[in-house]
Every structure is written in structure tokens, then in C-alpha cells.
Amino acid sequence: QVQLAESGGDLVQAGGSLRLSCVASGSIVSINFMGWYRQAPGKQRELVAIITNGGTTNYADSVKGRFTISRDNGRNTLYLQMNSLKLEDTAVYYCNANVKLPIGLGTRLVWGQGTQVTVSS
């Protein structure tokens, strides 16, 4: 079993900052790509940022220059530093990870339960 646990969501004023964390635990051999997604009320889940195990990153246009994704491979932890937050960043933020399992079990895409980020005016 592999689990992802997000933390760091909060209520913050527009212009403020938050740092989200996502810790992977369980029978993990290695983790390929990891990513952050978000889902606002009434909207589809959308990609925020993604990072490979080599550190290559990609961002949604809406967060470029404001958000930074990073990871600590030794701790199987993913981060999202969010600066200059806007009202439209309000959403539940989910992390996911493409996890390599022990021999014979292949890989699995795992999702966390989400953490709420609310930006107020």
C-alpha cells in the first residue's frame, strides 16, 4: 500500500503565501513524476505543476512565476511554494505520484486526499 498525505492548506489573504507538502509512504521503490493538481468548486481538476525525479518542472500558465514545485527524493516529499496568491487560487489541492512498487507489482499512480486552500480579499 502506498499513501500520499498533503498538508499546509489554510485560509490566507490575497497576496500572501503558503507552502504545501505531500509525503508519500508505504512500499515504495522509487517515485517517477510527482504533481500538484487543484479543483475549485464547480470546476474540473486541473494541473498546477509537475516535477520529474530528475527535477524537470512544468507549470500551468496561471501559476508561472508565482508557484514553485520541488521535491526531496530522500524523504519522498513533494512541496508547492505558493506566493502572490489570488482569489482564483482557491481550491482543494491534490498531489499525485507515479510510484514504482516492489518487484512484480509494477507502477501505480497514487493520489492524496487533498488540502483546502482558501484565498480571501
Side-chain angles (χ1 to χ4, degrees):
Q1 292 284 356
V2 177
Q3 293 182 328
L4 299 180
E6 302 102 331
S7 62
D10 206 345
L11 172 64
V12 62
Q13 285 192 327
S17 298
L18 280 177
R19 189 192 195 202
L20 305 183
S21 299
C22 171
V23 180
S25 61
S27 301
I28 299 170
V29 173
S30 62
I31 300 176
N32 300 318
F33 63 83
M34 302 183 78
W36 287 100
Y37 290 72
R38 65 187 181 187
Q39 188 166 18
K43 295 188 177 181
Q44 291 187 332
R45 190 173 298 188
E46 63 176 2
L47 173 69
V48 175
I50 192 168
I51 184 169
T52 69
N53 55 1
T56 301
T57 60
N58 193 29
Y59 295 90
D61 288 342
S62 59
V63 307
K64 283 181 180 176
R66 300 188 297 122
F67 291 8
T68 302
I69 189 171
S70 62
R71 61 190 285 177
D72 182 335
N73 291 331
R75 298 184 178 186
N76 288 334
T77 302
L78 177 70
Y79 302 100
L80 185 68
Q81 178 65 44
M82 305 186 294
N83 298 328
S84 301
L85 283 161
K86 303 177 180 179
L87 296 178
E88 52 264 40
D89 294 320
T90 295
V92 178
Y93 284 71
Y94 300 89
C95 65
N96 77 352
N98 183 260
V99 178
K100 184 177 180 181
L101 301 174
I103 294 176
L105 298 178
T107 61
R108 182 174 299 168
L109 184 64
V110 184
W111 288 88
Q113 294 298 308
T115 185
Q116 177 70 48
V117 173
T118 303
V119 183
S120 64
S121 59

